[in-house]
Each structure stands twice: as structure tokens, then as C-alpha cells.
């Protein structure tokens, strides 16, 4: 059976952008609850977005070192099941939130496999690690060849510098479960460009 890579658009901030993503056929939306990014949403804004979405659309809440209590509170108040931990969270935090949780790991210039294997769960996300920059959404990419083995072992979400121009190459090389894009489909930080999403 042919492998179809799923598409996640992360950092959605408005119902309009969310619906444009849905119309384009996006499988998963990411809502970022980390205040250190221009793509941040709070619970009321997240609820406003969720209210417009078709039933069954997968939504992931993104957190960066915000603690289990906060993550659980957002989960309870929004109904979002899936959680992406994009900071320095330990494997125990991921385990506490399973089965609907996964770790995002930054990749610099070596295979992340040993680090990947430390974390529980079916899913994992690999993103470019940019020293001194935000943990994600930087628009930087890493050497995708470093991700191929991870894609064989886990449901890999691949992020980092993906754009409409290079995503097909990435899918051919890595065959990830899902690709994840934020800045690569924006007209400005936190503002999605429907044409680029398409």
C-alpha cells in the first residue's frame, strides 16, 4: 500500500487561517501555547479556532517547558488531546501524557537516534536546532538524511525549513509519517498564506 505523508500546519492563530488550512486538505493543525513565539494562542483564542473546525480534525497543542499541570489544564479547557513537547522536557513528562503525546527534538549535525530512543510513545518530531533561537518555527532546516532511520522506527513528524519548494524532496528522501510547517507557509510570523498552504 502506498505511503501518504500527512501534513501539519503549526502556529495557527485565527479561525480564518485554520479554515483555509482545512480547505487546502491539511490533516493536522498545531496551536502553540508557548508565549515566546509570535504564533502563541491562549485558551479563549484556541477555543474560538476549535469552534470553527470540522469534527474529527486532528489538533495538536504545542508547549515548551511549561510543566505538566499547565499542559493538563489546557487539555481540559480546550478538549485538545494531542500534545507536542518542544522544550527540554524529560521522557517522564511524555510518558505521563501518553498515548496522545510526543517529544520534539532538535537536530544539529548528528543522528538523533540515541535521543529519540530515550522517549516513549509511537510518535516523535524532529526539527532543526538553531543555537540561540526559538525551539521551533525558525525556518531553518537540518540534513534530512539524519532523519531516515528515525522514520523507520517511529511515526516521524519532520519539521524545520519546509516550504512548498522543498517538501516533495523531503518526503521522497525521508518518508516521514507527517511533515510540519509553520514559517514556510506564512506571509508574516503567525499569519498563514493560503496559497503557500495549498
Amino acid at each position: 500500500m502506498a505511503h501518504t505523508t500527512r501534513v501539519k500546519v503549526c502556529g495557527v492563530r485565527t479561525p480564518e487561517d485554520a479554515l483555509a488550512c482545512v480547505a487546502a486538505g491539511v490533516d493536522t493543525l498545531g496551536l502553540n501555547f508557548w508565549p515566546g513565539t509570535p504564533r502563541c494562542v491562549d485558551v479563549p483564542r484556541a477555543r474560538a479556532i476549535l469552534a470553527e473546525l470540522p469534527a474529527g480534525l486532528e489538533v495538536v497543542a504545542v508547549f515548551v517547558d511549561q510543566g505538566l499541570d499547565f499542559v493538563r489544564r489546557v487539555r481540559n479547557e480546550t478538549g485538545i488531546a494531542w500534545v507536542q513537547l518542544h522544550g527540554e522536557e524529560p521522557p517522564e513528562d511524555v510518558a505521563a501524557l501518553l498515548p496522545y503525546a510526543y517529544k520534539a527534538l532538535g537536530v544539529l549535525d548528528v543522528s538523533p537516534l540515541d535521543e529519540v530512543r530515550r522517549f516513549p510513545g509511537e510518535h516523535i518530531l524532529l526539527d532543526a536546532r538553531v543555537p540561540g533561537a526559538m525551539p521551533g518555527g525558525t525556518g531553518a532546516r537540518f540534513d534530512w538524511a539524519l532523519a531516515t532511520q528515525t522514520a523507520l522506527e517511529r511515526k516521524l513528524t519532520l519539521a524545520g525549513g519546509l516550504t512548498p519548494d522543498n517538501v516533495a524532496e523531503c518526503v521522497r528522501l525521508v518518508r516521514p509519517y507527517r511533515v510540519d510547517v509553520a514559517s514556510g507557509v506564512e506571509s508574516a510570523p503567525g499569519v498563514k498564506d493560503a496559497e503557500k498552504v495549498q
Side-chain angles (χ1 to χ4, degrees), residues 77-168:
E77 292 179 7
T78 63
I80 298 172
W82 279 100
V83 169
Q84 173 181 318
L85 300 179
H86 214 109
E88 300 299 320
E89 300 90 355
E92 298 75 41
D93 282 15
V94 180
L97 296 164
L98 287 176
Y100 299 107
Y102 58 89
K103 185 74 181 77
L105 297 171
V107 181
L108 207 45
D109 47 18
V110 295
S111 168
L113 214 50
D114 287 347
E115 187 70 358
V116 164
R117 288 172 177 161
R118 289 181 54 231
F119 286 88
E122 202 179 2
H123 291 258
I124 199 90
L125 182 145
L126 297 179
D127 195 354
R129 175 177 289 151
V130 181
M134 292 191 303
T138 60
R141 64 177 269 190
F142 64 94
D143 178 359
W144 294 327
L146 296 172
T148 51
Q149 186 59 40
T150 298
L152 295 174
E153 295 188 15
R154 301 286 275 278
K155 284 187 174 174
L156 169 64
T157 298
L158 196 135
L162 294 175
T163 67
D165 299 324
N166 66 20
V167 69

Side-chain angles (χ1 to χ4, degrees), residues 16-37:
E16 296 73 27
D17 282 357
L19 290 172
C21 289
V22 171
V26 169
D27 302 289
T28 307
L29 295 180
L31 302 186
N32 197 323
F33 290 86
W34 181 56
T37 172

